[in-house]
Amino acid sequence: ASLANLREAMNKSQQEQIDDLRRRHAKELEQLKAQHTAQLNETFATHEVFAKQMHSEHDATVAKLVDDAREASDRHATESARDQAVLREVQANLDQEMRKSASLIHSLQESRSAVSALEERIRGLQTTHEETLEKKNEDFAKEKRSLKEHHKTATERLLQAQLDETSGLKEQFHRARHLQDLQLKMLQDRLKELQDLYDNRPSREEDVERIAQLEEEVREKQATVKRLLEEMHFYKLELHNREQNYNKVFGAQPTVGILNPVASKKQASTGPGANGAPKMHLVQQPGTGMGMQMGLPPLGGLPPSGPGQLGGGSRKLQKRPSSGSIKRTSVAE
């Protein structure tokens, strides 16, 4: 149908072009005829009026008109030839399009035949594929069942082997643990034996000598400390006795006070003289202001130290019995 429509359209277009060319050619011929007629009428009129004067011109004009007519005829022939050439070209194009259309129709028929063959082949391949797929599915199902059975058997065998191996490992572990307990018990007994030997080991000679030396040094130090404590107690009693004798002889009654550093600090921080230093009271002995050199005699029978005796070397203290009825008491060790 499309080819017929194309053919009709091309025929119609060609016919329209031919008709158009014919109309233009007829129109040009009519125009030329009209022009020629008008020129002839004008020439005849001029010839009648100026026949004698324009005879030569009439001949020239006639020759000219003949040339124009010939030229017009030649032009018309050229245009006709050109139109014929165009027509032949259009006809050639039409023939070419017709051949192309025929080739396309032939190609279309071949394509349809090939499509039909391919469809038939596709149907055959689909049938073969379905049969092959069904067979593959059956084979796969059989292989799957076989693999499941094989896997089940292998799993059961592996589980049994693992159970046997686990039992063997447990038995080996119990034996190894029993052996380890025995070894540990033996090592503990050996450690206890070695500890007893270490605790009851005999003393070394150098350790015994060192201990005896240290004990002797301790005894010497204790004796020295005991002697120093006795001497300190003796001097304390001596000083106390002399002070009592001095107070009895001179009738002195010194004021004895207690210095509390904490109380003095509190009073200094809260009292009126908080910023000043604590007041000190000097207690003078009787006879100090009169130039009397009174005081306790030197301890231990030492002579009074003077300027000439400085740097003369140190002298050992000598014990003397205290004055009065104060007895010397011993200091417990």
Side-chain angles (χ1 to χ4, degrees):
S2 60
L3 185 60
N5 293 329
L6 179 63
R7 187 179 296 172
E8 290 179 0
M10 291 179 66
N11 292 330
K12 186 177 180 181
S13 176
Q14 184 180 7
Q15 189 64 35
E16 289 178 355
Q17 290 180 359
I18 292 171
D19 294 339
D20 188 16
L21 290 173
R22 287 178 178 176
R23 284 194 299 271
R24 285 190 297 173
H25 182 64
K27 187 177 181 180
E28 288 178 358
L29 288 175
E30 290 178 357
Q31 289 179 357
L32 290 173
K33 288 179 179 181
Q35 291 177 2
H36 183 65
T37 303
Q39 289 177 0
L40 288 175
N41 292 329
E42 184 180 357
T43 303
F44 288 144
T46 307
H47 179 70
E48 288 178 358
V49 177
F50 304 100
K52 294 178 180 180
Q53 292 86 359
M54 298 300 296
H55 181 69
S56 59
E57 292 179 4
H58 176 69
D59 293 337
T61 303
V62 170
K64 184 178 180 181
L65 288 174
V66 170
D67 293 335
D68 291 337
R70 188 181 296 110
E71 184 179 357
S73 179
D74 294 337
R75 187 170 59 252
H76 178 68
T78 304
E79 290 179 358
S80 297
R82 187 174 62 251
D83 292 338
Q84 291 295 327
V86 172
L87 182 60
R88 284 193 299 272
E89 184 178 358
V90 171
Q91 187 67 33
N93 292 332
L94 180 61
D95 295 337
Q96 187 178 0
E97 293 295 332
M98 292 293 291
R99 287 192 297 272
K100 287 183 179 178
S101 299
S103 177
L104 290 174
I105 291 171
H106 182 67
S107 300
L108 181 61
Q109 291 176 356
E110 290 179 354
S111 299
R112 286 178 179 177
S113 301
V115 168
S116 300
L118 289 174
E119 288 178 352
E120 185 66 25
R121 185 179 178 185
I122 288 171
R123 283 194 295 270
L125 290 175
Q126 285 180 351
T127 305
T128 306
H129 177 69
E130 290 176 357
E131 293 176 355
T132 306
L133 184 62
E134 185 177 359
K135 186 177 180 181
K136 289 288 184 183
N137 290 331
E138 293 177 358
D139 295 339
F140 178 73
K142 291 180 181 179
E143 187 177 359
K144 187 176 181 182
R145 286 193 298 270
S146 176
L147 288 175
K148 282 184 178 180
E149 294 176 357
H150 179 70
H151 178 68
K152 184 178 180 181
T153 305
T155 304
E156 292 177 354
R157 190 184 305 111
L158 183 61
L159 288 175
Q160 186 64 33
Q162 287 182 352
L163 290 174
D164 297 338
E165 186 177 359
T166 304
S167 302
L169 291 175
K170 284 183 178 179
E171 186 177 356
Q172 291 179 6
F173 175 73
H174 290 312
R175 287 200 301 269
R177 187 172 183 179
H178 180 66
L179 293 174
Q180 187 178 7
D181 293 337
L182 292 176
Q183 187 178 4
L184 181 61
K185 185 177 180 182
M186 292 174 62
L187 291 175
Q188 288 178 352
D189 295 338
R190 179 62 179 167
L191 178 62
K192 184 177 180 182
E193 182 180 357
L194 293 176
Q195 186 67 34
D196 293 337
L197 291 175
Y198 179 77
D199 293 338
N200 298 324
R201 71 187 185 280
S203 301
R204 297 184 301 174
E205 294 181 0
E206 53 269 22
D207 294 339
V208 174
E209 293 177 359
R210 181 61 179 167
I211 291 171
Q213 183 181 359
L214 292 175
E215 289 178 351
E216 182 65 25
E217 291 180 359
V218 169
R219 284 194 294 271
E220 290 178 359
K221 293 293 183 5
Q222 288 179 353
T224 303
V225 170
K226 182 179 179 181
R227 180 173 56 81
L228 292 176
L229 289 174
E230 290 177 354
E231 290 180 358
M232 185 179 66
H233 184 65
F234 169 74
Y235 287 124
K236 283 183 179 180
L237 294 176
E238 181 70 21
L239 290 173
H240 184 67
N241 188 16
R242 291 189 179 190
E243 185 178 3
Q244 287 182 353
N245 292 333
Y246 177 82
N247 292 332
K248 288 180 181 180
V249 171
F250 296 99
Q253 295 180 356
T255 301
V256 180
I258 298 174
L259 180 61
N260 189 357
V262 178
S264 63
K265 287 182 179 180
K266 289 182 179 180
Q267 184 178 3
S269 60
T270 57
N275 297 327
K279 295 181 179 181
M280 302 296 291
H281 296 281
L282 179 62
V283 179
Q284 295 182 355
Q285 296 181 357
T288 304
M290 296 181 295
M292 299 178 63
Q293 295 181 358
M294 300 180 65
L296 294 176
L299 296 177
L302 293 175
S305 59
Q309 295 182 356
L310 295 175
S314 61
R315 299 180 63 183
K316 295 183 179 180
L317 298 176
Q318 298 179 0
K319 296 183 181 179
R320 289 190 176 184
S322 59
S323 61
S325 59
I326 300 175
K327 296 182 178 180
R328 180 182 177 185
T329 61
S330 61
V331 180
E333 186 176 351

